[in-house]
Amino acid sequence: MIPVNRIFLNENPEAKIALTAGSDPPFRAVEIGFGNGEFLEHVAMARPEGVFFGIEVSLHCAMKAVKRIQRSGCENVRILFGDARFLLGECFPPEWLHAVYMNFPCPWPKSRHAKRRVTYSGFADVLAGSLVNGGVFELLTDDRIYAEEVARVIPAHPALEIEEICLDPKRDIQTKYERKWREQGKDIFLLRFRKKIPYFSGRSKKGEQELHSVLERACPTFDGLQSLAEMEGGEHSCRWVFKDSYVSTSGVMLLETITSDDGFRQSFFIRIVPREEGCLVKIDALSRPFRTPSVVMAFERLVDHLRCEIT
Ligand SMILES: C[S@@+](CC[C@H](N)C(=O)[O-])C[C@H]1O[C@@H](n2cnc3c(N)ncnc32)[C@H](O)[C@@H]1O
């Protein structure tokens, strides 16, 4: 059974086991960037037999929506706090969702911010791999340029087709941003896409990647680990930096690490544990970052460094 009223706040991607264990509800949907949660509440109330996941990157919004959902007594909503660019592909089984909704996403109009758009590169593939055959992706936006871009990019994927583009749609629910833009007399565009053929995305499940390495060398000295402070690296807009180190009386060490993937920032610890012969390097279980490219790069860099360089 899916646990009732569980709120997943930046939990381990393995949470999907808990999300989906047992019998699947007959309708499964996600809203990306739910803001104050009123659309999520509305669709969940309308279909009590379904389960509705909300993904939101703002903790303030996530907590507001949690309160709203708790007040409403809705038992079929799950809130996930984090960046949908990573969570959509990591938290659900393949070909499992019947619908993905996005209401008034931030359009990030400047080209240097393009990668922050949820629908930027790779999204269509993740979407196609996440939806059941026949599943839909529904987007509402007030931004014509953004609407045109999405209308071009999504159907370029072989498994996805555009079903409808509608100007000024009438729906049972208006979100906060929809009310705001309508009051200002803006055009509203609805775009609906459908998955037309089965498609299993071959994307690598970074969330399942074990970041765990046993080294045939003794633990580094604390001074050696501290010397890594401010070491940084990365590629393009995926960056990482090592910060402070800590050591326990039993010799376990923690290295604070900060990463950013296209503006999605995470802060966590890498743990170095002495073993009889050698040492174990792993991501600290309490900090549970999503296995984004920069997290993997930082981890691999530390392991390389421990193998060859610091004492
Ligand atoms: C303009 S608001 C729209 C809120 C709500 N959907 C509405 O229509 O009133 C965009 C929302 O998307 C969220 N958001 C932006 N980027 C996101 C991402 N990568 N993952 C999840 N949520 C995101 C923002 O925090 C914000 O709450």
Side-chain angles (χ1 to χ4, degrees), residues 8 18 25 35 43 111 116 132 134 164 179 182 237 250 253 267 287:
F8 295 95
V43 285
S111 52
R116 296 189 185 177
V132 296
E164 182 184 6
R179 287 191 297 276
R182 283 192 189 277
S237 52
S250 58
M253 294 179 186
S267 176
S287 38

Side-chain angles (χ1 to χ4, degrees), residues 31-35 55-58 61 82-85 103-106 118 175-177:
E31 184 187 8
I32 294 173
F34 51 74
I55 305 179
E56 174 56 64
V57 80
S58 148
C61 290
D83 192 317
R85 289 174 301 170
N103 295 305
F104 303 94
C106 309
V118 174
T175 66
K176 180 176 162 190
Y177 274 80

Side-chain angles (χ1 to χ4, degrees), residues 25-233:
F27 187 76
R28 307 174 290 267
V30 168
E31 184 187 8
I32 294 173
F34 51 74
N36 65 14
E38 58 193 316
F39 178 85
L40 204 51
E41 177 189 20
H42 176 84
V43 285
M45 297 284 256
R47 296 193 76 161
E49 78 287 6
V51 64
F52 295 84
F53 299 90
I55 305 179
E56 174 56 64
V57 80
S58 148
L59 183 59
H60 176 72
C61 290
M63 296 316 290
K64 262 172 92 170
V66 165
K67 287 195 189 126
R68 174 189 286 275
I69 300 299
Q70 282 172 337
R71 266 198 316 270
S72 75
C74 256
E75 294 192 336
N76 54 343
V77 172
R78 314 282 180 270
I79 302 288
L80 291 99
F81 166 56
D83 192 317
R85 289 174 301 170
F86 302 100
L87 269 61
L88 186 64
E90 301 294 350
C91 291
F92 307 101
E95 304 202 278
W96 192 74
L97 293 168
H98 294 92
V100 174
Y101 306 107
M102 200 151 64
N103 295 305
F104 303 94
C106 309
W108 294 107
K110 292 186 179 148
S111 52
R112 72 170 188 278
H113 292 145
K115 285 189 176 171
R116 296 189 185 177
R117 291 176 206 145
V118 174
T119 46
Y120 198 68
S121 83
F123 177 76
D125 198 59
V126 171
L127 185 65
S130 306
L131 286 173
V132 296
N133 194 24
V136 296
F137 168 52
E138 206 172 279
L139 166 78
L140 247 74
T141 179
D142 59 296
D143 191 306
R144 177 182 290 273
I145 295 172
Y146 185 75
E148 284 170 358
E149 180 183 281
V150 176
R152 205 174 47 248
V153 167
I154 303 285
H157 191 282
L160 299 170
E161 66 186 358
I162 192 149
E163 186 172 89
E164 182 184 6
I165 300 185
C166 171
L167 180 63
D168 219 10
K170 300 281 174 286
R171 302 192 300 178
D172 296 347
I173 167 91
Q174 286 189 359
T175 66
K176 180 176 162 190
Y177 274 80
E178 182 168 358
R179 287 191 297 276
K180 180 171 164 179
W181 301 139
R182 283 192 189 277
E183 274 164 27
Q184 292 182 14
K186 285 191 167 187
D187 285 339
I188 306 285
F189 305 90
L190 176 136
L191 293 89
R192 189 179 299 110
F193 305 87
R194 197 170 286 278
K195 180 164 166 180
K196 58 185 176 184
I197 49 168
Y199 176 77
F200 183 84
S201 167
R203 68 186 189 259
S204 81
K205 285 264 187 172
K206 297 230 165 47
E208 287 171 3
Q209 192 163 336
E210 264 299 307
L211 292 181
H212 184 278
S213 213
V214 180
L215 304 183
E216 288 172 4
R217 59 152 288 171
C219 264
T221 60
F222 186 51
D223 282 349
L225 199 64
Q226 275 186 316
S227 70
L228 300 185
E230 303 305 330
M231 175 188 270
E232 59 182 315

